[in-house]
Amino acid sequence: MTIKSSHKNAGSIRRAAVIGSGVMGAGIAAHLANAGMRVVLLDVVPQALTAEEEKQGLTLADAKVRSRLASAAVARMGKAQPAQLYDPSWASRITPGNLSDHLSALGDVDWIVEAVVERLDIKRDVFALIESVRQPGTIVSTNTSGLSAASMAEGRSAEFRQHFAVTHFFNPPRYMKLVEIVPAADTAPEIVQLLSEVCERRLGKGVVIAKDTPNFIANRIGTFGMLVTLEETLRFGLTIEEADALTGPAMGRPKTATFRMLDLVGLDTLLHVVDNVRERSTDAVEQAAFARPALLERLVAAGRLGEKAGAGFYKKVKGKGGSVIESLQLETLEYGPKRSVSSPVIDASKAVKGAAEKVKALLHTEPKDRYAQFAWSTIKKTLLYSAAQVGVIADSIKDIDRAMRWGFNWELGPFELWDAIGLPGSVQQMQKEGEEVPAWVTAWIAGGHQSFYRVESNKRAYAASGAYKLEEQEPDTISLAALKASGKTVLSTAGASLIDIGDDVVCLEFHSQNNAIGGDILSAIRQSAKEVEQNWRGLVLANEGRNFCVGANLMLLLMEAQSGEWDEVEDIIRFFQSSMLELKRLDRPVVAAPHRMTLGGGVEACLPADQIIYSPETYFGLVETGVGLIPAGGGCKEAAAMAAERALVSGNGKHGADIQPYLNALFETIALAKTSTSGYEVGRLGLMRPQDRVIMRQEARIAEAKRAVLELDRAGYSAPAEGRIRVAGREGKAVLKVAVQAMRLSGHISGHDALIAGKLAHVLAGGDIRPGAEVSEQYLLDLECEAFLSLCGERKTQERMSHMLATGKPLRN
């Protein structure tokens, strides 16, 4: 089928409308605005006035009242936590309205997203309204977690149905990667392709194509897994704390595990999903698997719906010393103190890195242990169910794995997990225990295959129709894992690897614990600098870890400080500083591509780069003051240089321009340990330079950084010569210290905060020299090191460092 459409590519979708301003509708509208689209957000007209509206003398006829629901949703976006918008000012891209007065606006958009309540009759009514004003060629999609696409499209014209599909965003839409696209029978392939491109390239999402079956892919398998866990918890006589300890990170899944996740989802919501699968299924075995658990029914009947009701499997109880979490005692259905869980099996899982190794430790450390048996039983049943759904809910194991990783934040999808525990051996064990293994799995093993996935020609291949099939790799993505698996590692240390990413460009990947920078990473930086200068066109700094880098190795610094090994502490700082200078002076282009948490030393590793390509979800900040220190790996020096450069630009190249306003802003950012809530907000904090930029699609950041390296190389790159930095001097320092003193006198900061801020002011201003003096980079690095060392010797700083290591939270002392 070929259709006529004015939308040729993802870039042509510029105007959108979202119908429904609830949690999902508002979140989707915000993320469309994040992608640069102009959005109309419509909801129904309220049937009653609020008390505030009555007080203002408004009536139901007033425009302010009629569009209240959508207007309120837009107003909340700038204050929402977690933030819905990359930049709060982008709320101006969204125009609120109502379905009665502004329905005609749907005739002037490229894409209409319906996100009203999950009721088939209401959705059908909305689609009838849409069709009354929609222009031919306009794409219409519905955000539903499980209603039938075919049923929703009934009664609509053929042209409407050709342009209609499900786009199931996961909540919250900005942060959750998965979008399930579900075509109906008449959806044109071109529209499925266009929606996929829009979601992937414009919205930065991971798309899977699901079949029009109950609850699609992720919710179908995720719900089954929760039901199995509940059933096995009761069968093995475990507490909910024990079950959560085993089904969270120990299985490569989020900390919310199972019962905490159920509380977040809502127990009534889970029952609705369970009913949807059971009532639409024709398979007696599946109907039995999705029967309503009696325990859930009892809790819902008692109003214990989870977090939204204040109680579910866990309950927060307020006491004199603050709130405490109590847990449901399954024998009595009463709440009691939450109990800690430990065992050799769990300890073994915690002791190893990576989801695959954790699961193997969980299952094989003590296979006869009750915890190991519980873990095996829940995993086994989930794997078998997932295998039975291939061809039913999705065409490939790849889509099922991606849906679970992107939609439920599993580190390994079901088939990746199966490979991790050993495919042939685990299937043999399942059969020995009397389980029915899907025929295609046994046939796959009988064909001589040992795993569902393998690497071929730098790409991952997956099991499909009796043979491996290469995963389609987008031209703008690079997989470091696949490159390493195919032997592209150039050099490696315990904390970092240098990887050939093609076209004579290499990528330095951190892979230490939390990607914290220690001696191994600094050594790798120095080795890489020499290697790149001799043999390569340029260097990318990026990795595929959960976070880019959470900072320097704080434990090592604390140990040396507490031992009074000041020469050792100074050596660490000097080594860090000189390593960053090597990056900055490298006679080849360097481009950094950070993502997610990029803090402290992680920022200092990026700032020497010629360019930084930010992921939209980059939380970037020099946060050392939170542990009683100041940036000393070149962060203060780079901030001083930024202030001087901005003053020079503002003065049209005249060196007499005032540095102070730019220095004040950067001082506040660093002193208060501010962190961006997105890559775009780095600019608001003053840490983004003119050459730096943000790309919407996180998966493309490494390829984009490589492209930037090649462009710099083609332009005839030469390393920046060491220049002099103009500083604010003693007068600028005095201005900063006045602000610190005012904060101290007003009680906003402690005495130790003031001490730290004073030392930071001293370094950023260039010390006590004359205003406008030009100093060397090494001069500022020496000031950094001196201030850092003196703070390390402070008892209160050591207390802050210890507290951060123990709790992950800053201490205000």
Side-chain angles (χ1 to χ4, degrees), residues 240-270:
I240 64 170
E241 296 99 324
E242 288 174 321
D244 274 354
L246 293 163
T247 60
M251 281 189 185
R253 297 176 188 174
K255 291 180 180 179
T256 47
T258 299
F259 293 104
R260 180 76 184 99
M261 173 67 79
L262 281 171
D263 277 357
L264 291 170
V265 169
L267 276 59
D268 55 336
T269 302
L270 181 73

Side-chain angles (χ1 to χ4, degrees), residues 230 234 259 267 293-300 313 328 330 333:
L230 175 57
L234 296 172
F259 293 104
L267 276 59
L295 174 60
L296 288 185
E297 288 191 310
R298 288 181 65 183
L299 291 173
V300 170
F313 286 101
L328 187 70
L330 294 175
L333 297 191

Side-chain angles (χ1 to χ4, degrees), residues 111 139 141 165 167 181 191-200:
W111 180 16
I139 299 170
S141 71
T167 48
I181 294 181
I191 295 304
V192 175
Q193 180 62 31
L194 183 55
L195 278 171
S196 297
E197 289 180 6
V198 170
C199 291
E200 289 175 346

Side-chain angles (χ1 to χ4, degrees), residues 15 74 77 105 140 146 198 202 220 232 315 331 366 385 404 430 436 457 471 548 555 579 648 701:
R15 297 160 301 169
V74 175
M77 287 176 188
V140 180
V198 170
R202 296 288 300 283
R220 179 82 162 260
E232 297 300 295
K315 179 181 179 181
E331 315 81 33
E366 294 187 20
Y385 182 75
M404 298 316 297
M430 291 173 186
E436 183 178 347
S457 304
E471 284 188 348
F548 176 77
M555 175 63 79
S579 299
L648 189 64
R701 70 188 186 281

Side-chain angles (χ1 to χ4, degrees), residues 24-25 28 113-116 118 123 141-145 165-170:
M24 287 304 298
I28 292 168
V113 183
E114 170 275 312
V116 303
E118 287 279 272
K123 286 183 179 286
S141 71
T142 174
N143 184 71
T144 177
S145 60
V166 170
T167 48
H168 179 208
F169 289 81
F170 277 61

Side-chain angles (χ1 to χ4, degrees), residues 87-337:
D87 186 313
S89 68
W90 292 356
S92 63
R93 296 175 178 174
I94 304 172
T95 302
N98 66 75
L99 283 167
S100 296
D101 303 330
H102 307 107
L103 185 65
S104 61
L106 302 184
D108 193 35
V109 299
D110 306 310
W111 180 16
I112 301 167
V113 183
E114 170 275 312
V116 303
V117 66
E118 287 279 272
R119 275 183 48 185
L120 181 60
D121 58 336
I122 293 177
K123 286 183 179 286
R124 282 177 171 169
D125 289 344
V126 171
F127 294 136
L129 277 176
I130 291 172
E131 188 159 28
S132 70
V133 293
R134 165 189 170 273
Q135 292 296 311
T138 303
I139 299 170
V140 180
S141 71
T142 174
N143 184 71
T144 177
S145 60
L147 293 180
S148 165
S151 297
M152 285 184 282
E154 281 181 15
R156 306 276 60 82
S157 67
E159 197 275 341
F160 183 104
R161 295 197 306 273
Q162 288 173 353
H163 291 81
F164 173 77
V166 170
T167 48
H168 179 208
F169 289 81
F170 277 61
N171 189 36
R174 168 182 161 179
Y175 298 94
M176 293 301 292
K177 183 174 177 178
L178 180 62
V179 173
E180 293 175 319
I181 294 181
V182 187
D186 296 327
T187 309
E190 299 95 322
I191 295 304
V192 175
Q193 180 62 31
L194 183 55
L195 278 171
S196 297
E197 289 180 6
V198 170
C199 291
E200 289 175 346
R201 298 178 185 276
R202 296 288 300 283
L203 304 183
K205 296 301 175 189
V207 169
V208 297
I209 307 300
K211 292 181 179 292
D212 192 9
T213 57
N215 298 102
F216 313 133
I217 302 174
N219 281 342
R220 179 82 162 260
I221 291 175
T223 300
F224 178 86
M226 289 178 183
L227 293 176
V228 163
T229 301
L230 175 57
E231 179 184 355
E232 297 300 295
T233 298
L234 296 172
R235 186 166 76 89
F236 279 86
L238 269 57
T239 66
I240 64 170
E241 296 99 324
E242 288 174 321
D244 274 354
L246 293 163
T247 60
M251 281 189 185
R253 297 176 188 174
K255 291 180 180 179
T256 47
T258 299
F259 293 104
R260 180 76 184 99
M261 173 67 79
L262 281 171
D263 277 357
L264 291 170
V265 169
L267 276 59
D268 55 336
T269 302
L270 181 73
L271 285 181
H272 171 74
V273 173
V274 167
D275 291 343
N276 190 42
V277 176
R278 187 184 63 258
E279 290 166 5
R280 290 176 58 192
S281 176
T282 57
D283 185 307
V285 174
E286 185 165 62
Q287 287 174 344
F290 281 85
R292 283 180 155 226
L295 174 60
L296 288 185
E297 288 191 310
R298 288 181 65 183
L299 291 173
V300 170
R304 301 180 186 182
L305 308 181
E307 189 169 87
K308 61 188 174 185
F313 286 101
Y314 294 98
K315 179 181 179 181
K316 184 180 285 188
V317 179
K318 292 183 179 179
K320 291 182 179 180
S323 297
V324 296
I325 302 296
E326 294 186 345
S327 61
L328 187 70
Q329 314 299 302
L330 294 175
E331 315 81 33
T332 63
L333 297 191
E334 299 296 328
Y335 293 96

